Structure formats: C-alpha cells, structure tokens
Amino acid sequence: MSTAEGGLTWTVYDANKMTQREIYGLVLTELGEKHPEIVGLSADLAKSTKISDFGDRFPERFFNVGIAEQNLFGMAAGMAKAGLIPFVSTFSVFATLRAGEFLRTDLCYQNLNVKVIATHGGTSFGSAGATHHSIEDLALLRAIPNLTVIVPADGIETAKAIRACMDIKGPVYIRIGRGFEPPVFESEDYDFEIGKAIELRPGTDITVIACGATVYHAIEASRMLEREGVSVRVLDLHTLKPFDDDAIRRAVAETRRIITVEDHNRIGGLGGAVADVIARGGKGCAFETLGIPDTFCSHGYPEDIMHIYGIDTDGIAAKIREVLGRDFEDDEDWEDEV
Amino acid sequence: MPLTEQERQQFTAIAKKIRGDLVDVTQWSGGAHIGGSLSMVDLAVLLYWKYLKLDPAQPDWPDRDRFVLSKGHAGLGHAVVLANRGYFDIALLKDFNQYGSPFGMHLDSRKVIGVEVSTGSMGHGLPEAVGLALGARVLGASWRVYCIIGDGESNEGSIWEAAMAAAHYKTGNLIAFLDRNHLMIDGRTEDIMSLEPLADKWSAFGWNTVVVNGHDLDALAVAIEAAQAHTTGPSMIVCETVKGKGVDFMENNPAWHYGGLSVDLAAKAKQSLGV
Ligand SMILES: Cc1ncc(C[n+]2csc(CCOP(=O)(O)OP(=O)(O)O)c2C)c(N)n1
C-alpha cells in the first residue's frame, strides 16, 4: 500500500459521476484537514482545476496569483522553503511550458516538496486547440532530474496518486485530464505504488502499455481481441518517472510484442521511455508506439481527436492486429538469457 | 474627431448585429467565450469599419494595418467581426469549434483568413505586436499595429516585458487597448490580483495612456485619433467595459466567461439585445 492516509476512499459509483479534477479537489481538501502544512496555489484556474474546493475550505491557505504562471511556481518554491507543502494547479501546458524553467530550476533543482497537479493534459481540452493541448509535457519532464511524473488512468487512480505523492519529499507532477475519462478502476481498494506498473489484464501474445486516458481503451481493445482468440496483456504504466524497467523487460520476455499508447507526442513520452528499456535490454521484439504523430492537433472533441490519431479502442485494436503479424529478429540464445 | 451622425448610426447597428451573431455562434458551437467577446465588440467595430487600413479581398496586402487579439480566447468575437467585415461567409461559423472546421475557440492564423497571430495563451499577443511594430520600422513601412489585451491577461509578466520594450524602442506605430471589464475566470480582477492604479502603471511604463468608456463610440474615436497623432511612443487606451455587454443575464457575471446557450437561453439573450 502506498500511503498511511486513511479516511474517505472513492469507488466507481462516485467516479462515474465525477471527473478526475473533481475527485482531485475533494481528495486534496480531505488531505488538507489532516495536514495543516498543505497550501494550494492556482493562476486564475482555481475553478477550472477544482483546487477551488481546497480554497473554499481553507481560504487562509489558498493563493490565487492571477494569470501569472511563472510567479505561481516561484511563490510555491518559496512556500516549500518555508516548510509548507504546496499543491499547485493550472493547465498542463502552462505548468510545463509557460512556467517550465521555474518548475525545473526552482522546484526540481532545489528538490523542493511541491506537488504540481496539472489538469487538461494531452488533448483532453480538445476544442480549445493547440494552444491548450499538452502533448509535449512528458518528454520535457522526463528529462528533468528529481521530478516524479505520474499519469493516472482515471479519477480513482488520481485519488491514489494524490495520496501517494504525500510520501515523496520532493517535486511531483501529476497529469490529469479535463474530465469524463471512463473509469478503469472499481474502487480505491487496490495496490498503487509510485514507480510500479499495474497489470490490468494478463496476456501472452502481446503487451499494450498505456498511461492516462488511453488505459481504458487498451483494456477495451484487449477485450475485443480476446474474442478473436488473442491474449493481450495490458499494463497501466502510471509512473513515467521513476520508470518500471522490470515490468517492461518481463513483458518483452513473456509476450515479445509490445505496443505503447499515450495521449502525447510519439516523441519522448511513454513510447520513448519503453523503447529505451527495450533497446538497452538487447532482446529482439516487435514494437510500435501509438500517440500524436509529431503534429499540432486540430481542435475537436477529445474522443474525435483520439480516434483520428488511433489512440482509442479501435486504433489500438488495429495496431495489435498489425503487430501480431510482424517479424522480428529471434536470437538463438533468447530463452537462456531471459 | 467625434463620429458623424451617419457613422454613429452605422456602427451602432453593426455592433448590435454582431452581438446577435455572437449569441448564434455560441449556441451553434455548444460553448464559447461570449462574455469577453461582447465586451470588446464596440471597439472592434470601430477598428474594423473605420480605423484599420485593410482590404478583406486582399488579406495579405502588405501595407495593411496589423490587428492582434492578445486576449485570444475572444476568438469567437474576432471571427464574427471578420465574417461581418467580409473576410468570409458567416455560415462557415456554423461548425465553430468542431473538428475539421478552420475555426476553433482560439483562432489559428494558419487557418483563418484575416488573423495575423495565433493567440489563446495569455500574454503572447502584445509581445508579437511590439515585434510587428518594430518590423514595420525596419522595413520603412507605414502600417500601424493595433492590439487588444485583457485586464486579467495583464497579470502576465510578459505583458509588462512587452510594455517596457515598446516604450524603450518608442513604437509610435503601436496602439494597444485594454479591455477593462473587471472580470477574469475566477472572479473580479481586484479580488484575484489587484491591477489598480492600472492606467498609472501604463503611464509609468512610458506609454501615452488614456481611459475611456469602451462602449462610447465617440469617446473611442477621439482617443484613437489622439493615439494615431502620438508618434513618439506607444499608446494605451484603457477601455472601461462591461463583460457580457448587452445581454442582461451575462453582464458583469463571471459565470459567462465561457458558456453554452440552449435554444431558449439564446432567444432570451437576443431579446435582451433587441435583435
Ligand atoms: C497563459 C494562460 N494561462 C491561463 C489561461 C486560461 N484563461 C483563458 S481566459 C482567462 C481569463 C482572461 O481574463 P481577461 O484577460 O480579463 O479576459 P476577459 O475577461 O476579457 O475575457 C484565463 C485565465 C490562458 N489562456 N493562458
């Protein structure tokens, strides 16, 4: 179990009616009751990110800095130096790109205990267009030392991650969506450990590794392929950093075909991290990455965007069928070395 | 100079028509930034129908004045103004926000004719406007740059970085407008992050600054002409406006920063506008 925090936990019943953001707001407020050192900060997106729940309950511990993301991160760093635990929320694109150097130099270089809960990750704010999409954040953040990077699959996993990040004495980035991602987990009654992938479906023919909103679709695709007699393992790789190399190596050894899928540029995110582990492992393996193909996406509903770029159930299923038919170099000594 | 009676009537009628169109497009699109679009309509009409040197038939005409909507979330308002000014058919806005339409809630300069700069992230338009103004100087061109920023947007450091640069480089061909509607997303500007004394700040930064009623076409016209005559540095016209202007249930209501309209609510909004 990740954390000693008890209290209220969430089930699919609540999660069905609430967005990831809403669950975040409620869990943070609950943590705030127990931890007087928690403070909240936002930049005119308190209501939009739901950190306003915390602000309404603890007005004296909440700071809306106006539309000023650099100052948002600078102030959070100062509060952390004073001994507080700041939770900072704005849209993912502004947290990482607008305030990126403040995140890196103030929070990560000084290894400060600040939690960045970034909403509207990936293309989840679809209709707002490229200015508000965040398809570069994981590539950028993976390269920043000291930072823990988590992409929960749904609202319930968001609750788990928010509680678990309290155990880390350093900067944590949690990327959540805009809302309405279908629930993956039934309740909070499961083991969530930062840095450890979760096998959501066992499988022997191929492994689909997903994070965030694509986890649900990976499961659906796995179910679809099961009806065709294909055994698809699904890993919820919720932590991009530190990375669960072992889960990847095991998947390579046991299924020898891997697909990654993420709501992010195909460059530098989950796919890149998995490719790195596979290449260093030196084992032949059929491998594909699904994600945004290095382009600024058009605006549109998130479900449409996910469909167009093939990161929804249909796209994943099609890619599974393709990769199942693919050849790869088979070492003679493969079995010995595994 | 104040407007002629004919101009006043013409621009007032256009502004009214545009407000009605904003209600329509908001209803079609499922949701849009209508509050901050309504607050800048009168100013936008005056710019697009009287002061901007432009030719909708030649959107790339090199000598055109450049208009930059720094508060790019009001792309709805900009799109409706451009359509009414003849850049494209307003019917194209039927699928505003939908996948495949060139029009998203933040206008893309590579897709929408007449849009100079892709904005939507706060605090980007004014720096680009300063760059455009200096570009004209380097090229020896005579066009001017007009830019609208938001009051909430004025929290951004980059606005003040641009303010310093414009004054430093004495961009007399830059006229900026501050849509002072006193609201941002989370509430009133003075509750979230105090801006006042705002006009004094712009003056202190070296800008030729005036404050006018942003819904008074005559006052705006006088201020714009005075700013045009001021060529030794940048001008800031702080426009006192009402967010949601013209629609009674939206006026001064932070809930209408962004919203959707049912058929019924759209009808109520039009009734309130008298269109
Ligand atoms: C860098 C950045 N941070 C946050 C946002 C989200 N956002 C969109 S509009 C807005 C409020 C803008 O307020 P204001 O400039 O006063 O505009 P108006 O009230 O005239 O609509 C915010 C915070 C953004 N678009 N860009």
Side-chain angles (χ1 to χ4, degrees):
Chain A
M1 285 293 290
S2 61
T3 167
E5 302 298 339
L8 220 53
T9 57
W10 300 93
T11 68
V12 73
Y13 174 70
D14 317 299
N16 261 327
K17 293 180 303 185
M18 275 190 282
T19 65
Q20 275 183 307
R21 290 180 288 155
E22 284 165 325
I23 293 181
Y24 156 54
L26 292 166
V27 172
L28 181 62
T29 307
E30 179 199 320
L31 286 176
E33 304 281 359
K34 289 186 213 115
H35 298 276
E37 68 280 22
I38 292 182
V39 289
L41 295 95
S42 187
D44 197 32
L45 291 173
K47 287 185 211 153
S48 313
T49 60
K50 302 295 179 215
I51 198 174
S52 54
D53 285 353
F54 177 91
D56 291 344
R57 175 70 186 82
F58 306 107
E60 71 295 348
R61 281 152 60 190
F62 180 71
F63 304 88
N64 195 330
V65 306
I67 313 171
E69 293 77 11
Q70 302 179 69
N71 189 39
L72 175 71
F73 280 73
M75 280 175 56
M79 290 183 188
K81 289 234 160 176
L84 300 172
I85 305 178
F87 275 70
V88 181
S89 281
T90 180
F91 295 167
S92 165
V93 66
F94 306 134
T96 53
L97 295 177
R98 186 53 162 272
E101 198 229 355
F102 289 71
L103 170 66
R104 169 193 173 271
T105 301
D106 300 351
L107 306 189
C108 298
Y109 178 43
Q110 305 190 88
N111 201 19
L112 297 179
N113 196 12
V114 177
K115 317 304 177 192
V116 180
I117 317 299
T119 67
H120 299 62
T123 57
S124 65
F125 201 178
S127 52
T131 55
H132 285 59
H133 296 162
S134 182
I135 59 164
E136 312 86 356
D137 58 331
L138 303 177
L140 170 75
L141 299 176
R142 280 181 60 221
I144 303 182
N146 292 341
L147 185 63
T148 297
V149 182
I150 307 175
V151 188
D154 68 356
I156 287 171
E157 196 159 78
T158 299
K160 298 286 268 185
I162 300 288
R163 297 182 210 286
C165 79
M166 288 294 288
D167 294 343
I168 293 182
K169 300 282 170 280
V172 178
Y173 174 88
I174 300 179
R175 179 219 237 209
I176 61 182
R178 185 181 185 204
F180 313 113
E181 290 78 13
V184 170
F185 293 96
E186 297 273 313
S187 75
E188 278 199 63
D189 187 20
Y190 73 96
D191 287 340
F192 175 90
E193 197 181 327
I194 291 174
K196 282 275 167 284
I198 299 172
E199 186 178 294
L200 289 175
R201 282 177 67 82
T204 49
D205 295 328
I206 187 166
T207 302
V208 177
I209 304 174
C211 65
T214 58
V215 173
Y216 168 84
H217 293 281
I219 293 170
E220 290 301 299
S222 162
R223 292 211 172 101
M224 195 186 268
L225 269 293
E226 187 175 43
R227 293 193 281 275
E228 298 173 20
V230 180
S231 167
V232 182
R233 177 181 302 184
V234 175
L235 292 185
D236 166 17
L237 219 159
H238 50 72
T239 308
L240 272 278
K241 208 178 169 183
F243 205 58
D244 190 350
D245 292 16
D246 286 345
I248 312 297
R249 285 199 206 99
R250 231 174 299 126
V252 172
E254 292 167 9
T255 71
R256 306 198 58 184
R257 294 174 195 275
I258 308 276
I259 294 173
T260 63
V261 54
E262 63 199 302
D263 183 9
H264 184 272
N265 196 327
R266 285 177 58 204
I267 296 174
L270 174 66
V274 171
D276 185 52
V277 175
I278 295 176
R280 279 189 284 110
K283 292 287 174 198
C285 153
F287 177 64
E288 259 305 339
T289 59
L290 285 171
I292 309 298
D294 197 24
T295 182
F296 289 107
C297 302
S298 176
H299 58 271
Y301 294 119
E303 19 329 352
D304 289 342
I305 293 177
M306 289 180 81
H307 188 70
I308 282 147
Y309 293 111
I311 57 174
D312 66 348
T313 305
D314 290 347
I316 298 168
K319 190 55 85 178
I320 291 172
R321 293 188 192 100
E322 182 194 320
V323 171
L324 282 173
R326 203 178 277 185
D327 280 341
F328 53 88
E329 191 107 351
D330 209 347
D331 302 350
E332 280 166 22
D333 56 354
W334 171 272
E335 299 298 338
D336 325 329
E337 279 186 36
V338 170
Chain B
M1 278 211 305
L3 304 174
T4 65
E5 184 52 33
Q6 194 201 344
E7 284 176 323
R8 193 174 305 119
Q9 278 178 14
Q10 184 201 356
F11 300 155
T12 304
I14 294 169
K16 190 167 174 177
K17 152 93 170 46
I18 285 176
R19 286 193 162 92
D21 290 347
L22 289 175
V23 169
D24 282 337
V25 182
T26 300
Q27 191 205 318
W28 299 335
S29 67
H33 289 95
I34 186 161
S37 293
L38 285 166
S39 62
M40 65 174 199
V41 166
D42 302 302
L43 168 62
V45 167
L46 204 52
L47 288 176
Y48 270 91
W49 271 264
K50 185 169 168 83
Y51 290 110
L52 287 181
K53 214 167 35 158
L54 55 81
D55 178 2
Q58 296 182 74
D60 295 331
W61 174 39
D63 284 333
R64 70 191 183 280
D65 286 336
R66 305 310 199 257
F67 172 79
V68 179
L69 183 65
S70 195
K71 44 170 272 187
H73 58 282
L76 164 73
H78 195 190
V80 169
V81 166
L82 289 171
N84 276 280
R85 189 66 181 82
Y87 282 84
F88 43 79
D89 188 346
I90 193 148
L92 286 176
L93 301 181
K94 288 251 174 200
D95 56 1
F96 189 87
N97 255 1
Q98 311 301 315
Y99 186 86
S101 158
F103 302 93
M105 63 173 88
H106 305 101
L107 300 181
D108 180 342
S109 62
R110 292 161 71 238
K111 290 187 183 154
V112 181
I113 295 165
V115 173
E116 305 282 356
V117 173
S118 299
T119 52
S121 177
M122 308 267 81
H124 288 243
L126 190 63
E128 282 201 47
V130 176
L132 279 162
L134 288 172
R137 177 186 297 173
V138 171
L139 295 171
S142 64
W143 38 270
R144 289 195 178 90
V145 185
Y146 295 85
C147 177
I148 301 180
I149 69 172
D151 48 4
E153 186 185 18
S154 304
N155 295 164
E156 287 285 4
S158 58
I159 290 292
W160 300 99
E161 294 169 28
M164 261 186 284
H168 179 82
Y169 287 108
K170 301 188 172 50
T171 53
N173 55 350
L174 172 62
I175 301 176
F177 303 86
L178 204 162
D179 186 0
R180 184 69 172 118
N181 58 32
H182 297 265
L183 294 181
M184 47 209 286
I185 293 185
D186 282 334
R188 298 190 65 76
T189 59
E190 299 313 289
D191 294 336
I192 305 292
M193 184 53 58
S194 334
L195 292 164
E196 293 299 340
L198 189 50
D200 290 349
K201 287 188 173 123
W202 285 96
S203 298
F205 269 69
W207 287 53
N208 166 45
T209 307
V210 287
V211 181
V212 299
N213 175 348
H215 302 303
D216 179 338
L217 293 170
D218 287 286
L220 281 169
V222 169
I224 292 169
E225 289 178 27
Q228 288 177 334
H230 178 85
T231 55
T232 54
S235 293
M236 170 54 77
I237 300 176
V238 178
C239 304
E240 282 289 341
T241 58
V242 174
K243 197 158 173 172
K245 175 73 179 175
V247 179
D248 50 10
F249 60 87
M250 293 184 186
E251 284 193 358
N252 269 319
N253 182 351
W256 282 99
H257 173 77
Y258 177 92
L261 288 168
S262 63
V263 176
D264 282 356
L265 216 48
K268 282 205 186 98
K270 286 193 164 182
Q271 197 179 15
S272 168
L273 288 167
V275 294

